[in-house]
Structure formats: C-alpha cells, structure tokens
Amino acid sequence: MAVDQLPDNEPTAAPSKERPPLLAIILNPFGRYGIQLNNTLGAMAIFLVRAFIGIFHYKQIPEIINQIYFIGARSASIVALVGFFTGMVLGLQLYYVMNKFGAVGFLGTAVALSLIRELGPVLTAIMITARAGSAMTAEIGIQRISEQIDALYTMRVDALGYLISPRIAAGLISFPILTAFFDLVGILGGYLSGVILMGANAGAYTYRIDASVEWLDVRGGFIKSIVFAVLVITICCFQGYFTHMRRDSYGSKSVSLSTTSAVVLSCVMILISDYVVTSFLL
Amino acid sequence: MERQPLIEFHNVIKSFGERTILNGVSFKIYEGEVTTIIGLSGTGKSVTLKHIIGLLKPDSGEILYQGKPINRMSRQEWNGYIGRISYMFQNNALFDSMTVFENVALPLKRTTKLNRKEIEKKVMTRIEQAELTEVAHKYPSEISGGMQKRTALARALVTDPQIVLFDEPTTGQDPIRKNAILGMIAVNKKKFGFTAILISHEIPDVFFISNRILALYDKKIVFEGTAEEMENLDHPFRDEIIQSLASLQEDITGLYSSRHFKIRYQTELSKRGADESYAVLVFGFDNMDEVGESISHDAAQQTLRSLGNYIRKHFGAVGGFSTRQSINEFATILPFSDLEEARRILERFTADFQEHGMQELGEAFRKEIPSNQCFDFVVSVGMAQGKPQVEIESVMEFARFDKKPIATFRCDTRR
C-alpha cells in the first residue's frame, strides 16, 4: 500500500455542522499521513521479520541459489562496468586536485577509501535496485494481480516464505560480494586513469592502498551493503506483494506504479540510511 | 434425520466499498455431492467461493464447516480445514515461469514430505489423466487456453483434496472439451469421493454432473435444490438465467436441452387422447466413465457426440425428438408410435447403427486416442410404452429396466 493513501478501514469523520478550527484543517493531513506512514512501516517490519524467519528451511536452498544467480551473478557485469568507470573518474579527478597540493602519492588512499567506505556500497545498491529490484517488484506484482499469490495460499504454500524469503537471503549474500567486486574493479579503474593515463607512481598507488585501508573500513562498507540489501529487497518485494492494495491504479498500471515507487523509494532510503549508518560508524 | 451440512453459509454479507455483493447469503453444501452455483456474470459467485477458502472474509454472517464457524477456528483447525480444500481459479492462476509439470508439482513439493520420485509419479498420473503428457515440459504461455485449464485442474486435484472448488472450469472451452472437463470432474469425484463446488454457466451440461444447484440472484441465494426441482421454480431468476444461459440445443450433441425436450413433450402429448400411447427409448453409453478414465475424456465426449447425432438424425426423421438425459444417457420420444411400431423402428435403427453407426462412432473414437491404446465400449437401449396421463419419469424408468446391448465397439475391429 502506498504511504500516501488511506487504508480501507480508516475511520472517516462524521459530517459536522460546525466548521473545524483552522489549526485542525492545517494539521489533519499531517496527522493522517503520519498514521499511514506508521502503519506502512509497521506492516513492512512484520513483512521483513516473517520473510526472514522463512529463510531457515531446507526447501529454500534451491530457490536461494536461483535468486543469488539472478540478483548476484547477473548483476555482476553492470556492477563491474559502473565500478570501473567510477574508479576511473575518481582517479582522474583526485589526480587533478592532489596534483595542486603535491599529494599525488596519496591518490591510492583517496580512491580506495572513497570506494570502500562510501561509493562502493551506495552505487552497488543503486545498480542492483535498478536491475534486480525493479524486476522483483514487477514479477511479484504480476503474480499478485494474476492471482498466483492467492493460488499459493489456496495450496497452503506460505507465499512470503516461497517468494520473499529466498530473495532476502540472496540479497544478504549478494550485496556484500558485489560491493567487494565493485571496490576491486573501481580501484583498478583508478589505477588505469591515475597511474597509466595521468602518470602517477604505480608503486605509491598500491603501497598507499595497502597502508591506509584498514579492516574497519572494509567492515563499514560491508555493514552498509547489508543494511542496503535489507532495505532494497524489503521495499521492492513489499511494493510488489501489495500492489493490489494501491488505490491510485489497478491491474498492470498498478504494477508499473509499484515498480517506480520501489525504485525511487529504495534509492532515497539508500542515501538516507547511508548517512545514518556512516554517522554510527565514524 | 436432517443431514449435517459440510459447509454452511449463514446470512453472509460482503461489500466492497459502497458496493454490496452478497446480502444475506445462506446455503448448505453436503458432503460427497457436486453443488453448482449458477448466476449471471458479476453476481458474486466467485466472491462466494473465495469466502469458503478464506481468501475473503465476510463483513457479517458466518461460514460453518461441519458446524464450526471458520473464523473461530484455532490455527491448527484452520490448517486442517484449508488442507482439505483445493481451488481451481477462473483464470487458472498458473505460474507462467514454471512448466506444466512444475505447476502441477508445486503443491506437493512445498507442502508434503514426498520424495522426488513419488512426486513425479503422482504428478505424471494427473498429467496423463488431464491429457497433457505431450506438453508437460512446456510453459503455460506455450499451450492453448484449454490445456491451461486442464493444467489448473490437474494441479487442483494432485493433492487428493476432500473439497474442490471449481471457479468456472469450462469457460472458453469448445463443447467437446467443456464436456470432457465436466466428465473428468464427475469421474474424479466418483473415484476419490470429494465434495465439489462448481461455478458454471454451462446450462444444461453442468446439470448432468450436479447433485444440487444453488442460484445466486440479486445478492442472495434464491434457489437451492436439484436441477429437476429448478424446473418448477417460480422466480424471475429462472426466466432470466435460463433464457440467457440455456440454449435450445445442447452444445455437444445438438439434441434438445432437457427443458425444451419437456416443453416439446408436453405440447405434443397434450394434443393426444388419454388412451393413445407413445414410446420412449433410453440409450446408454454404458462404460463411458471407464473410457474417459482409461483412455481419454475427449474420446468419450467425441463418441457421445456421434451417438447423439446419430440418434437425432435417425429418430428425427420418423417424428421423434431426443435429449441428453444424463452424462451418458439419451432419451427419445416417439410420440406417434406404439410399442410395436417403436420396436420396428428400433430394429431398423439397430441394423443401421451396427452397419454404419458403429463405424462412425469408431472413427470418432479412434481420432481421439493414441494408436497403441484400445478400449471396448457398449451402446445399449431400452424401450417402454407410455400414456399421456402417466408421468414421463416412470416411463423412462421402465425403459431403463428394459435396457439391452445393441452394439459393442470391439477394439480388434479397427485392425
């Protein structure tokens, strides 16, 4: 259900002859929005917990492997491409800035830390959202509107366990691996632009990476990627699973709007949570 | 003593927003019966069915299972209840990213502890019964609408449920397939003893397999009873639904529907004097269920169609009129013939049927079955004489007692 809509059972005020106070007219929409947001977040939390519990069943293993292939393996090429060019741009820009201060020797440190601590987890999560998250919402949404999810219910198959749990598990496994892959390829991209094209010292580039990157930086990146995994998969699956509850559209239109909402909401939540997690890690 | 209903709706009301769909719906479903819900489109038939399985919850009123309200069941009781039910969706609800085999296997894989081989065996049995063996590894989008319907049917029956809910199982099928599906439901019902609740527009075909009919009209159940009892219903629904849904002739055989057969019979016999007699012939395709089950439901229906056509042509020419009386029985009235004349007509029919009719039936039968399969079937006929003042049902009953085989299709005759 979209956060800006009233749930079906929301009580509506009885018509009154007296005009409500101006303050109430101004504040009512905020209150209503707040309650809806609260309901949606609560529903999402229950959705996540129930799906998470469903992971731990031996029958999930084949489906989890399928989803790792879909979310992880099939996203690797696009993550590598984006990682490589991000690293190249970083190498180029940082070389230009550091050259002004005579600090080109620290190029490796700057590229590696930027990627591992910040850009790697964030851009990887955004790329997976665009590639796999949107597909997940659309697939689950279509299953919802074509009554396939109802069919699961009638067959006594736990729809959350069957459809969502493997995706959550696959996301938790794939996001950190793809983030590490993004970081590695990005560092190589930075090497290509900073060292090979611009002429920074190759030894200094690798030595500085080795000397400055600590386990805490890597761990921070992984923590972020796990947080993003939970957010992205939950938001995308939730939007698809409850696509029939949208009140602004029906059928295929509701699937398309749910997909858009899922991608936008995931990207926004990635950036907001990035700030929150960073502030805790620092 | 009154029978205990298996499922009972008690004053169920359901609205979607401002729109009330069910307004005080009450009815009973009895164990081991086929109950068909009929009604015009958009009158809440599917909504009613979805309440039984818990996909929808009533705004008020109660649904009882063996006398216990389903909304007050414990989790364990609910799981037990739901585990006994299977649902075949109107639009099939097949998983489009799975093959036919995987779709049918899904409920077994996810809800049972059967091993792979056991699952494969059960699934293949159902797939064979549904005549889907050749498309078992195709995706739903690669097969026809009829095959998709049969896949959904196979999936609904693969768990051997005790109650099966069929939401318009024959919609969009040609007459042969439609009757083959109804035949499949009837045969499986007989074999596994499940309780079936059907939604169907296929009047009168669906009446042949139904024990009870529920008529949903104007948000309420306006009729609950047998198809015969429905004939006497005095309600606007009857005219509306029968006229809009029932055709003059039955789709599969081209014979009169039972309603029009009755009208014709009443009209013809009302003109006759009290001591004038007429003859009734009852034809049976004796082992049709076994043919359907062992070989092909399509083959059984195709043969039935040929027999119906043959009867219509032959007896129509001598002033008789015929109807399909039940799933494998036809009745013919010869209004101007006494028993002696009817016997002569029947002798001519039998000779002609043995010479040409069986050949036609055999051809129709062979078209539908694989070349390596074989099955014998028997056509029998009984005859009785009636008078206008005697109830037609009792005359038909006499004819049934008199039934004798007139032709047998032997498998070796085709070789």
mmCIF file of all heavy atoms in Angstrom, chain B residues 63 103 151 181 217 306 343 350 359:
data_model
loop_
_atom_site.group_PDB
_atom_site.id
_atom_site.type_symbol
_atom_site.label_atom_id
_atom_site.label_comp_id
_atom_site.label_asym_id
_atom_site.label_seq_id
_atom_site.Cartn_x
_atom_site.Cartn_y
_atom_site.Cartn_z
ATOM 1 N N ILE B 63 -19.655 -18.491 8.329
ATOM 2 C CA ILE B 63 -19.458 -19.648 7.451
ATOM 3 C C ILE B 63 -19.059 -20.800 8.363
ATOM 4 O O ILE B 63 -18.104 -20.675 9.141
ATOM 5 C CB ILE B 63 -18.361 -19.361 6.407
ATOM 6 C CG1 ILE B 63 -18.780 -18.179 5.537
ATOM 7 C CG2 ILE B 63 -18.101 -20.599 5.545
ATOM 8 C CD1 ILE B 63 -17.659 -17.526 4.795
ATOM 9 N N ASN B 103 4.183 -26.693 -12.397
ATOM 10 C CA ASN B 103 2.966 -26.116 -11.829
ATOM 11 C C ASN B 103 2.175 -27.158 -11.058
ATOM 12 O O ASN B 103 1.703 -26.903 -9.952
ATOM 13 C CB ASN B 103 2.088 -25.543 -12.952
ATOM 14 C CG ASN B 103 2.307 -24.057 -13.136
ATOM 15 O OD1 ASN B 103 1.908 -23.251 -12.302
ATOM 16 N ND2 ASN B 103 2.968 -23.685 -14.227
ATOM 17 N N THR B 151 -4.414 -27.911 -16.980
ATOM 18 C CA THR B 151 -3.265 -27.890 -16.061
ATOM 19 C C THR B 151 -3.733 -27.442 -14.677
ATOM 20 O O THR B 151 -3.353 -28.022 -13.654
ATOM 21 C CB THR B 151 -2.180 -26.918 -16.587
ATOM 22 O OG1 THR B 151 -1.869 -27.269 -17.926
ATOM 23 C CG2 THR B 151 -0.930 -26.965 -15.744
ATOM 24 N N ILE B 181 -14.140 -31.872 -19.584
ATOM 25 C CA ILE B 181 -13.752 -31.380 -18.255
ATOM 26 C C ILE B 181 -14.823 -31.740 -17.226
ATOM 27 O O ILE B 181 -14.518 -32.235 -16.138
ATOM 28 C CB ILE B 181 -13.485 -29.854 -18.282
ATOM 29 C CG1 ILE B 181 -12.162 -29.595 -19.017
ATOM 30 C CG2 ILE B 181 -13.430 -29.271 -16.873
ATOM 31 C CD1 ILE B 181 -11.821 -28.150 -19.222
ATOM 32 N N TYR B 217 -28.862 -14.742 -7.136
ATOM 33 C CA TYR B 217 -29.542 -13.706 -7.907
ATOM 34 C C TYR B 217 -29.822 -12.530 -6.982
ATOM 35 O O TYR B 217 -30.284 -12.725 -5.849
ATOM 36 C CB TYR B 217 -30.857 -14.271 -8.464
ATOM 37 C CG TYR B 217 -31.679 -13.297 -9.285
ATOM 38 C CD1 TYR B 217 -31.311 -12.998 -10.597
ATOM 39 C CD2 TYR B 217 -32.809 -12.688 -8.753
ATOM 40 C CE1 TYR B 217 -32.067 -12.130 -11.355
ATOM 41 C CE2 TYR B 217 -33.570 -11.815 -9.513
ATOM 42 C CZ TYR B 217 -33.192 -11.532 -10.819
ATOM 43 O OH TYR B 217 -33.938 -10.667 -11.574
ATOM 44 N N SER B 306 -21.137 -38.292 -31.408
ATOM 45 C CA SER B 306 -21.522 -39.049 -32.604
ATOM 46 C C SER B 306 -22.809 -39.826 -32.366
ATOM 47 O O SER B 306 -23.703 -39.864 -33.220
ATOM 48 C CB SER B 306 -20.420 -40.031 -32.988
ATOM 49 O OG SER B 306 -19.264 -39.325 -33.283
ATOM 50 N N ARG B 343 -40.765 -50.764 -31.833
ATOM 51 C CA ARG B 343 -39.837 -51.897 -31.921
ATOM 52 C C ARG B 343 -39.318 -52.041 -33.351
ATOM 53 O O ARG B 343 -38.113 -52.260 -33.556
ATOM 54 C CB ARG B 343 -40.550 -53.182 -31.449
ATOM 55 C CG ARG B 343 -39.614 -54.356 -31.312
ATOM 56 C CD ARG B 343 -40.154 -55.464 -30.437
ATOM 57 N NE ARG B 343 -40.142 -55.124 -29.028
ATOM 58 C CZ ARG B 343 -41.169 -55.236 -28.207
ATOM 59 N NH1 ARG B 343 -42.325 -55.663 -28.671
ATOM 60 N NH2 ARG B 343 -41.057 -54.928 -26.934
ATOM 61 N N THR B 350 -31.209 -50.266 -35.149
ATOM 62 C CA THR B 350 -30.135 -51.145 -34.678
ATOM 63 C C THR B 350 -29.338 -51.696 -35.858
ATOM 64 O O THR B 350 -28.099 -51.679 -35.841
ATOM 65 C CB THR B 350 -30.723 -52.308 -33.839
ATOM 66 O OG1 THR B 350 -31.534 -51.737 -32.822
ATOM 67 C CG2 THR B 350 -29.640 -53.154 -33.204
ATOM 68 N N GLN B 359 -19.435 -47.646 -37.125
ATOM 69 C CA GLN B 359 -18.265 -47.238 -37.901
ATOM 70 C C GLN B 359 -17.960 -45.761 -37.633
ATOM 71 O O GLN B 359 -16.822 -45.384 -37.386
ATOM 72 C CB GLN B 359 -18.576 -47.457 -39.380
ATOM 73 C CG GLN B 359 -17.334 -47.654 -40.209
ATOM 74 C CD GLN B 359 -17.715 -47.964 -41.656
ATOM 75 O OE1 GLN B 359 -18.835 -48.387 -41.953
ATOM 76 N NE2 GLN B 359 -16.781 -47.734 -42.541
#
